[in-house]
Amino acid sequence: MRTLNATVLFAALAVAGAAFATPAAGSGIDLREATRIVEQAGYGPVRGAERDDGAWEVAASRADGRPLTVYVDARSGEILWPAQPGQRQLEAAEVMAKLAEAGYTDVRELERDDGFWKAEVRVAGGFERDLRIHPLSGEIQAERWDD
């Protein structure tokens, strides 16, 4: 009976964690809108796109025809990468400062991936968490247990 209760509790926590890290269905922008945003920014033609980890990865071309992946925030529709006129991308040191302000002082790894900053941090008890950080604001947009 205890094994069954522990299994049910673990499953409930896993579902709750996934719900916390994943935007609600229907929120944000769809493929058509992501494509429109990329084309309006002067990239194209769009050759394909997929939604991955909070961003639309849109395969397009620069004005000179060279291929490029444009990352569009799936929630706001903001182009995350490449930097747009007037945008200022946060540098690694600025992201580290934002993480420290949020209480994350033991940062194990920090990298740019899929248009966002991604961090692996150690929290109380020695557990590790994965964070997804907005590249312009430094806002932590998703947090989950490290797998």
Side-chain angles (χ1 to χ4, degrees), residues 38-114:
V38 168
E39 290 173 341
Q40 280 189 335
Y43 304 104
V46 170
R47 297 183 314 278
E50 69 175 330
R51 186 173 173 159
D52 183 31
D53 204 16
W56 283 100
E57 298 175 10
V58 183
S61 298
R62 293 179 170 90
D64 64 7
R66 291 181 299 145
L68 169 75
T69 300
V70 180
Y71 294 95
V72 180
D73 187 319
R75 290 195 297 183
S76 69
E78 183 173 33
I79 293 179
L80 302 172
W81 188 262
Q84 300 302 292
Q87 277 186 341
R88 188 178 149 322
Q89 303 278 323
L90 294 177
E91 299 291 330
E94 294 171 303
V95 174
M96 292 291 287
K98 295 269 188 188
L99 291 172
E101 287 173 19
Y104 297 105
T105 55
D106 192 356
V107 179
R108 299 300 182 147
E109 186 177 320
L110 180 67
E111 66 180 346
R112 286 297 298 257
D113 184 34
D114 296 334

